Amino acid sequence: MKRLPLAGLTVVSLEQAVAAPFATRQLADLGARVIKIERDTGDFARGYDSRVEGMASYFVWLNRSKESVVLDLKSTAGLDALTTLVSRADIFVQNLAPGAVDRLGLGGEQALALNPRLIHTSISGYGHGGEYEDKKAYDLLIQCEAGLLSVTGTPEAPAKVGISIADISAGMYAYSGILTALLQRSATGLGDVIEVSMLEALGEWMGQPYFYAEFGGTQQPRSGASHATIAPYGPVETSEAPVFFGIQNEREWVRFCSQVLGDDEIARDLRFVDNSSRVANRAALDEEIRRAFSRLRTEEALARLDRAGIANAALRDMQQFSAHPQLAARDRWRDVDSPVGPLRSLIPPSHHASPDSEWMRSPLSVNTPRPFWPSWRRLRRASLDSGGAANDHERSRRLDEENAAQRRRVDVCSKPDHGRRTAARRIRAARGHR
């Protein structure tokens, strides 16, 4: 197996729920060793549901390739263990409640004083400072505060986006910020402090609706599954089921009228002569399109759109997505080992053509999974007894050798150890004593 791009780097993560685990899973898929710190009851995302053979779908999605350690951070022994891990880590990620990590003595300035090469990354709801700093933030609430619900849904009612989009956006910006900081550290030798706010991350994705409303005087309307500012763009009913398509320019519009609707005159109708006119006369436009499509079967409608070069899609549910022929043709599925057996999962989406970039397959090629979290003796050998941050290359070599024999990659974290050893005994084990 080829060396993964981030092999040899150690990430310590005080993480829970979605945002931080999403960021660190990307790092783990690239080869970083991610040590997930959990409370004695475990990351509460473990209990969100039990749909995956008794495991939570959220937890399975977000935590492959990681190791986990239970620490009581209210105890001196647990805090000492975390501090020691952070002092030897390359990256520290946390999404605890505002101020919690500072009270542990591991805020940005404190942690970099301990480990100047550390990349310290914090994800919060609203960021440091301002009246919202201490306000609790969950995904739906950030969708509300960022205005996303005001443009999502139907004219009658707003709708939440069906995935954790605020958490995912924050996690992706944390991930890209960490990669940027690693490049910067390679030039300067110094770490950095990164802060990502869920509000600001999702706010960046709200740029188009913001500019539309700020400079246009009115907000774009909620329009269900149709595009609010481009027409036609959205669903239309065939005689069997809805199909979706979109027109992006006037050339496509003329071709759509001629080859799909079978009526050139519609393209010349002054009500539909350009996109702004079509949006203003959407009801009349929808009726013209509905009349033509209602006579077609779904397969015939999609074929006609394809022949005309009009982008289109069928509406798939999750089972149909799982069976998508394009994903099968590109060999994008792998089995991920877990405590409940292999779990079919998508591999990372970026595909690299270089022969040296076969890492995209590596996170999903697994050996026999190990017990949930390695002993503290192993953590000492692989993470703590590293000789300091100056020996990065030697540490990378030794980590690669050690991890090759007992690969924990893509082992979805099983249930954490809840106390077969006390925290004090774990620390003694970390220091090489029995």
Side-chain angles (χ1 to χ4, degrees):
M1 184 175 65
K2 296 181 182 296
R3 177 184 172 89
L4 301 173
L6 298 186
L9 296 181
T10 297
V11 181
V12 174
S13 190
L14 265 175
E15 61 181 31
Q16 56 193 359
V18 176
F22 185 81
T24 58
R25 201 215 77 186
Q26 314 308 311
L27 299 171
D29 280 348
L30 287 175
R33 186 182 193 205
V34 177
I35 302 172
K36 179 184 180 80
I37 309 299
E38 297 190 61
R39 65 190 77 193
D40 59 354
T41 55
D43 180 346
F44 51 74
R46 291 178 181 272
Y48 280 171
D49 61 67
S50 57
R51 297 300 294 265
V52 187
E53 305 293 345
M55 299 181 72
S57 56
Y58 276 90
F59 194 82
V60 169
W61 165 48
L62 295 166
N63 291 286
R64 72 178 182 217
S65 308
K66 301 179 185 179
E67 301 171 42
S68 181
V69 176
V70 173
L71 290 179
D72 177 5
L73 298 181
K74 294 181 180 180
S75 71
T76 300
L79 184 56
D80 283 350
L82 175 62
T83 302
T84 304
L85 284 169
V86 172
S87 73
R88 293 292 189 265
D90 296 282
I91 300 158
F92 178 53
V93 180
Q94 68 89 19
N95 68 331
L96 301 183
V101 76
D102 297 283
R103 292 191 292 272
L104 294 174
L106 291 171
E109 291 185 6
Q110 299 162 305
L112 261 69
L114 181 69
N115 179 357
R117 289 176 57 84
L118 182 70
I119 296 169
H120 185 288
T121 306
S122 297
I123 302 174
S124 65
Y126 297 98
H128 180 70
E131 60 184 283
Y132 277 62
E133 177 179 356
D134 296 325
K135 190 176 179 69
K136 280 191 173 181
Y138 300 138
D139 187 88
L140 170 61
L141 310 181
I142 296 296
Q143 289 189 38
C144 292
E145 293 284 355
L148 180 55
L149 263 70
S150 75
V151 298
T152 306
T154 66
E156 295 74 31
K160 173 186 178 295
V161 174
I163 59 173
S164 302
I165 191 170
D167 285 309
I168 293 169
S169 65
M172 285 304 294
Y173 283 115
Y175 168 54
S176 63
I178 289 167
L179 296 181
T180 301
L182 285 170
L183 288 173
Q184 178 176 277
R185 190 180 75 173
S186 70
T188 67
L190 298 175
D192 203 353
V193 177
I194 299 170
E195 180 187 3
V196 178
S197 144
M198 291 169 64
L199 177 66
E200 292 160 17
L202 187 58
E204 163 61 21
W205 291 7
M206 295 298 295
Q208 179 273 321
Y210 155 74
F211 282 112
Y212 187 97
E214 187 78 2
F215 294 93
T218 58
Q219 178 164 303
Q220 65 189 51
R222 293 190 298 270
S223 54
S226 295
H227 199 292
T229 60
I230 300 175
Y233 193 146
V236 60
E237 290 286 342
T238 68
S239 63
E240 299 173 324
V243 297
F244 288 68
F245 72 95
I247 301 295
Q248 286 288 307
N249 55 61
E250 297 312 306
R251 293 189 308 278
E252 288 185 352
W253 167 242
V254 171
R255 202 162 61 242
F256 173 76
C257 293
S258 173
Q259 300 181 33
V260 179
L261 300 184
D263 189 346
D264 292 329
E265 290 302 315
I266 296 177
R268 292 189 285 269
D269 189 317
L270 292 180
R271 295 173 299 171
F272 312 135
V273 71
D274 57 26
N275 182 65
S276 295
S277 300
R278 293 192 291 273
V279 171
N281 295 282
R282 189 189 295 270
L285 174 67
D286 288 348
E287 179 57 28
E288 294 284 357
I289 296 171
R290 186 205 62 76
R291 186 180 299 115
F293 274 76
S294 64
R295 299 190 295 266
L296 303 176
R297 297 180 61 191
T298 300
E299 185 176 345
E300 182 183 0
L302 293 173
R304 192 176 289 192
L305 289 164
D306 280 336
R307 285 195 300 269
I310 304 300
N312 64 84
L315 178 62
R316 295 176 184 268
D317 61 22
M318 293 315 300
Q319 284 73 30
Q320 291 167 323
F321 167 74
S322 175
H324 202 296
Q326 184 67 6
L327 296 175
R330 285 172 50 79
D331 193 24
R332 303 306 292 179
W333 296 99
R334 297 290 184 280
D335 281 343
V336 176
D337 278 350
S338 82
V340 296
L343 303 173
R344 181 172 174 265
S345 304
L346 281 171
I347 60 176
S350 58
H351 179 87
H352 293 238
S354 168
D356 293 329
S357 298
E358 289 295 321
W359 63 268
M360 56 167 281
R361 298 179 181 274
S362 301
L364 285 263
S365 59
V366 294
N367 297 318
T368 304
R370 300 182 60 228
F372 175 51
W373 61 271
S375 70
W376 271 87
R377 184 177 297 280
R378 175 151 302 285
L379 284 177
R380 177 186 67 81
R381 290 202 305 268
S383 298
L384 303 181
D385 187 19
S386 64
N391 292 330
D392 278 352
H393 295 298
E394 175 62 18
R395 175 169 48 150
S396 296
R397 184 189 65 77
R398 289 192 290 108
L399 278 170
D400 285 348
E401 290 176 355
E402 179 149 340
N403 288 338
Q406 36 195 1
R407 198 75 169 160
R408 48 55 184 173
R409 185 138 315 278
V410 196
D411 185 5
V412 175
C413 294
S414 59
K415 194 172 182 180
D417 184 332
H418 290 298
R420 286 182 297 175
R421 302 182 188 181
T422 64
R425 289 184 64 190
R426 289 173 186 159
I427 298 303
R428 287 198 296 272
R431 293 170 178 164
H433 302 292
R434 296 191 180 278

